[in-house]
Amino acid sequence: MSPQTHLLRPAFTEKIAQRLRTGRSVLLIGTEGQGGQRLLEDLALLSEEEQEVFQLRMEPVGSHKALLELICEQLKMEEQPSIEDALKQLPSKSWLLISDPVQAIERLVEQQAVDSDFYQMIRKANNARVAFFTEGFANRSALNLKGYQEMRLPPLSYTRIKQELERSLPRIGDHSLLTNEVYRHVRPYQLLNFLKKELRHLKEPPSAARLLELRKQFDESQQLDTPERKVQMPWWKRLFSGWSKKKTQ
């Protein structure tokens, strides 16, 4: 079966893969719950057979040493003198897929624990092709992002959400109600995974009442500001919507 069948954002993922194949690095920016980590996992599926692929998932750390230990652990290598030395152990022109939703690197730059050229170092250490995912920057001007092509994650399509549900919950039958709920949510990919887990033993579509109960349970677990559904929309529309509500209160 073609890897394309399992991709959450097939056209977008292929576009990134093509950039990596031609030696470019990309900076991927998306909001929480949109499936940034899944995008990197899908990207690995599109690598050539002989292509070496390494994935790193950043976590909050308080020092250069802690970051070095995290990287060595995830790359399954012995401790190295520096992060640059660790990355130089990788084969040249490797794909290095890095997920940093917690802005761990930027926080270390702010603390002067790592240099502001950190993003350049990981790109040049072994001539890597880097795909770096983050949910944004607090102070972008303090970072040297030269050489990265910025790409923003597009919203999940209704069709792909439905296909993902059909593949994961084949016994349910009609997935329309579930698809609508996921598609309209502000964190669609997280809700998608939550519903896949909660409904994995179901043999028929959940009732509207049961789905509402699950969605509220998910919203509470995510500490969302409002219990009602939130529709995927551009950030500026969400900002204007929130401002309008405040004006009417």
Side-chain angles (χ1 to χ4, degrees):
M1 186 177 293
S2 168
Q4 290 277 355
T5 311
H6 293 281
L7 302 184
L8 202 59
R9 294 176 170 89
F12 185 69
T13 310
E14 177 57 45
K15 188 182 296 184
I16 301 167
Q18 187 57 37
R19 281 161 172 72
L20 297 182
R21 293 183 192 118
T22 55
R24 288 175 285 178
S25 292
V26 295
L27 177 65
L28 305 166
I29 299 179
T31 55
E32 184 177 359
Q34 301 296 316
Q37 178 64 32
R38 169 64 184 275
L39 175 63
L40 297 184
E41 293 168 1
D42 285 352
L43 190 55
L45 298 175
L46 296 183
S47 62
E48 305 292 342
E49 188 173 341
E50 67 280 2
Q51 179 68 57
E52 296 277 3
V53 180
F54 300 90
Q55 297 193 51
L56 288 174
R57 184 173 179 84
M58 297 292 103
E59 299 173 5
V61 291
S63 67
H64 178 279
K65 185 177 186 298
L67 179 61
L68 173 60
E69 291 173 351
L70 176 69
I71 290 174
C72 288
E73 179 184 353
Q74 293 192 15
L75 294 179
K76 296 179 173 58
M77 63 174 60
E78 295 181 359
E79 187 173 343
Q80 300 294 317
S82 69
I83 295 172
E84 185 172 8
D85 287 315
L87 296 179
K88 283 182 177 179
Q89 302 300 311
L90 304 180
S92 179
K93 301 181 181 179
S94 300
W95 283 16
L96 188 55
L97 314 180
I98 305 174
S99 174
D100 187 15
V102 296
Q103 292 89 39
I105 304 301
E106 184 181 7
R107 294 183 187 192
L108 289 176
V109 171
E110 182 182 354
Q111 297 165 14
Q112 299 184 338
V114 300
D115 193 87
S116 60
D117 285 334
F118 182 88
Y119 296 90
Q120 300 304 312
M121 181 273 292
I122 60 176
R123 187 171 62 87
K124 296 177 180 178
N126 68 338
N127 197 19
R129 286 78 166 103
V130 181
F132 193 102
F133 169 75
T134 181
E135 292 177 0
F137 299 102
N139 184 14
R140 185 186 181 119
S141 62
L143 308 170
N144 182 358
L145 299 171
K146 185 178 179 181
Y148 287 85
Q149 180 178 358
E150 182 176 319
M151 303 175 73
R152 292 188 172 271
L153 271 65
L156 292 180
S157 72
Y158 184 93
T159 300
R160 280 292 158 171
I161 292 171
K162 187 176 182 182
Q163 289 174 349
E164 185 83 5
L165 288 167
E166 289 172 344
R167 184 166 57 248
S168 304
L169 303 170
R171 297 185 298 176
I172 282 183
D174 185 3
H175 297 79
S176 301
L177 196 62
L178 288 173
T179 305
N180 287 335
E181 195 68 41
V182 171
Y183 181 71
R184 290 171 55 83
H185 203 276
V186 71
R187 296 183 184 172
Y189 186 66
Q190 286 182 344
L191 178 60
L192 176 66
N193 281 337
F194 175 80
L195 292 176
K196 282 161 55 175
K197 179 181 178 182
E198 293 295 321
L199 302 175
R200 63 189 182 280
H201 300 306
L202 214 60
K203 296 183 179 180
E204 59 185 19
S207 66
R210 173 59 176 153
L211 185 54
L212 177 62
E213 177 187 339
L214 286 172
R215 196 256 303 158
K216 286 184 175 180
Q217 182 181 335
F218 172 79
D219 287 352
E220 289 173 3
S221 72
Q222 297 295 305
Q223 298 181 332
L224 294 178
D225 293 336
T226 54
E228 69 269 12
R229 283 175 293 185
K230 298 181 179 182
V231 181
Q232 291 190 75
M233 62 178 70
W235 68 267
W236 58 270
K237 284 189 177 181
R238 293 200 300 271
L239 179 64
F240 180 77
S241 174
W243 177 82
S244 298
K245 288 180 180 178
K246 288 180 181 179
K247 292 284 284 186
T248 58
Q249 289 175 352

